Amino acid sequence: MPKKVVPEEARRRRRPTRQGAVLSEGLIVRTALRMLREHGTGGLTARRLGAALGADPSTLYRYFAGMDDLARAVGNELMGQALDGWTAQGDWRADLRSLGLALHSSYLAHPQAAVLTASRVSGRPREIAVDEAILGLLRGAGLTDRAAVRFYHAFIDLALAFAALDAGALALPEEARRSDEDMWGTTYARLPAETHPNIAATAERLAARMPHSAYPVVLDTLLDGIAAELTGTAPEM
């Protein structure tokens, strides 16, 4: 059974760790992000994290119910970092687009953490603030609550799905990632038109586009759907 999490003020160390730092949730999460970047998802352990912090691994369980709870906190931090760099300008479409791109960029800045957390729901304050902002933009644009929830669901799942997909590629070893990207300019580009006419006709464009994320294109398609809903031209769903 996981240990009971102690409130922040009650669990704060009075003395610095061996690294000269006072433990806090924020410090542990930031250190976990570094561990994920350096060692991958399999390298994030209480023992390794404790060593990096200069603290006994058991100390971590005064801040988090377990490593899974810490993983959710990492996801919450990625959400918050996206919101920190975003400001609404008053245009629902531009604001949703910029927020979606900010979320995608925040996760791609920490690929290993994105792979670990993109499918999780943390229920923590920074994640909740992102959800509140998205719903506020959708309702403020004039959508009904039913439509706002439908499009919120599509918007956040789209951002996180592409974050996981694109981060998965970035988390690969450099040689493997380059090999995958080069496949479009080698194997696909050499397929004969006699057997693969459509690939052969588009091979040059495929090689130029496929190494890049499709997220901005699909995001714009979703925003077009929201605009159609607002003007009454969207099909019944």
Side-chain angles (χ1 to χ4, degrees):
M1 179 180 296
K3 297 180 180 179
K4 182 179 179 181
V5 177
V6 181
E8 174 78 18
E9 291 306 316
R11 67 196 177 213
R12 185 179 296 277
R13 286 175 60 114
R14 294 182 181 277
R15 294 180 300 170
T17 67
R18 293 189 298 273
Q19 306 296 344
V22 176
L23 284 185
S24 66
E25 279 195 12
L27 176 62
I28 295 171
V29 168
R30 291 191 297 273
T31 305
L33 281 170
R34 178 165 59 84
M35 293 292 97
L36 286 165
R37 183 171 60 250
E38 295 175 356
H39 304 289
T41 55
L44 182 61
T45 65
R47 183 178 298 277
R48 179 170 276 158
L49 191 54
L53 290 163
D56 189 283
S58 64
T59 307
L60 302 176
Y61 296 98
R62 291 176 59 82
Y63 293 80
F64 300 97
M67 294 303 290
D68 189 65
D69 190 30
L70 173 59
R72 289 196 296 269
V74 168
N76 177 67
E77 176 65 16
L78 296 183
M79 285 275 187
Q81 288 183 10
L83 201 59
D84 288 344
W86 174 83
T87 303
Q89 300 297 321
D91 179 300
W92 73 262
R93 179 170 185 140
D95 289 341
L96 276 173
R97 190 176 196 278
S98 63
L99 181 52
L101 293 175
L103 285 167
H104 186 251
S105 296
S106 178
Y107 277 80
L108 262 59
H110 303 278
Q112 293 80 10
V115 171
L116 180 66
T117 66
S119 63
R120 306 304 305 275
V121 180
S122 77
R124 288 171 175 262
R126 283 154 76 76
E127 176 189 88
I128 291 171
V130 170
D131 295 340
E132 176 69 12
I134 297 167
L135 285 165
L137 289 170
L138 292 168
R139 296 179 75 241
L143 291 174
T144 64
D145 286 351
R146 180 180 180 182
V149 169
R150 175 160 52 89
F151 282 116
Y152 158 78
H153 187 191
F155 180 90
I156 196 65
D157 277 13
L158 183 68
L160 294 176
F162 269 99
L165 175 67
D166 296 337
L170 291 176
L172 289 171
E174 179 70 14
E175 183 178 353
R177 184 169 62 84
R178 290 295 182 190
S179 177
D180 285 358
E181 292 178 354
D182 291 346
M183 202 72 69
W184 297 102
T186 55
T187 301
Y188 278 81
R190 294 174 181 174
L191 292 171
E194 292 76 19
T195 56
H196 300 82
N198 297 302
I199 292 176
T202 58
E204 185 176 342
R205 294 180 183 276
L206 284 170
R209 176 170 287 275
M210 293 308 293
H212 304 285
S213 176
Y215 177 61
V217 174
V218 184
L219 175 59
D220 283 335
T221 302
L222 174 61
L223 296 175
D224 287 343
I226 297 173
E229 180 88 11
L230 289 168
T231 59
T233 57
E236 290 290 333
M237 294 184 66

